[in-house]
Amino acid sequence: DSLSFSIGADKSDMRYYGSEKQNGIAQVQIVDSDKNNILFDTGWVDNSYARYNVDINMLNIEKLKIIYRTCGIPHKSMAFGLQFAMVNPILTLVEN
């Protein structure tokens, strides 16, 4: 059982894509909700972040939680914080 995807800063809309000074930083975590165990974490990253072909082992996991956080630049109000896109997510479940 696995969840496969690629993830990166959303570069399709310039409002949400730009330098740290323009759009801040962001973090995406995928968590096993029942055990509160972090399965994937981008860490705090800027618009240059991209990771391809991520595979998460889903064995014995019943519920996932996806957490998205943004953080702006101190003393600056941001209209559009950094956004991420998860591309081609495929959930494969194998019954035994």
Side-chain angles (χ1 to χ4, degrees), residues 8-26 45-50 52 68 70 76 78-85:
D10 186 358
K11 299 179 182 178
S12 65
D13 189 333
M14 290 302 292
R15 292 178 302 172
Y16 303 104
Y17 168 68
S19 69
E20 185 176 318
K21 290 179 183 174
Q22 177 182 328
N23 295 97
I25 55 177
V45 294
D46 64 14
N47 67 317
S48 66
Y49 182 86
Y52 302 95
Y68 176 73
T70 59
K76 180 181 179 193
M78 290 188 328
F80 302 104
L82 187 62
Q83 299 287 316
F84 277 89

Side-chain angles (χ1 to χ4, degrees), residues 61-74:
I61 296 173
E62 294 188 24
K63 231 185 324 184
L64 285 180
K65 178 169 45 174
I66 299 175
I67 300 169
Y68 176 73
R69 298 180 178 128
T70 59
C71 180
I73 305 304

Side-chain angles (χ1 to χ4, degrees), residues 3-96:
L3 172 62
S4 302
F5 58 93
S6 294
I7 186 170
D10 186 358
K11 299 179 182 178
S12 65
D13 189 333
M14 290 302 292
R15 292 178 302 172
Y16 303 104
Y17 168 68
S19 69
E20 185 176 318
K21 290 179 183 174
Q22 177 182 328
N23 295 97
I25 55 177
Q27 177 185 37
V28 177
Q29 291 181 329
I30 298 177
V31 178
D32 175 347
S33 288
D34 293 331
K35 298 176 186 124
N36 206 27
N37 183 30
I38 297 172
L39 305 170
F40 174 80
D41 187 352
T42 61
W44 287 101
V45 294
D46 64 14
N47 67 317
S48 66
Y49 182 86
R51 185 154 168 212
Y52 302 95
N53 304 317
V54 177
D55 287 307
I56 297 175
N57 184 343
M58 297 289 296
L59 194 62
N60 299 319
I61 296 173
E62 294 188 24
K63 231 185 324 184
L64 285 180
K65 178 169 45 174
I66 299 175
I67 300 169
Y68 176 73
R69 298 180 178 128
T70 59
C71 180
I73 305 304
H75 312 295
K76 180 181 179 193
S77 176
M78 290 188 328
F80 302 104
L82 187 62
Q83 299 287 316
F84 277 89
M86 292 180 77
V87 182
N88 298 329
I90 298 171
L91 179 61
T92 305
L93 300 174
V94 178
E95 292 212 20
N96 294 330

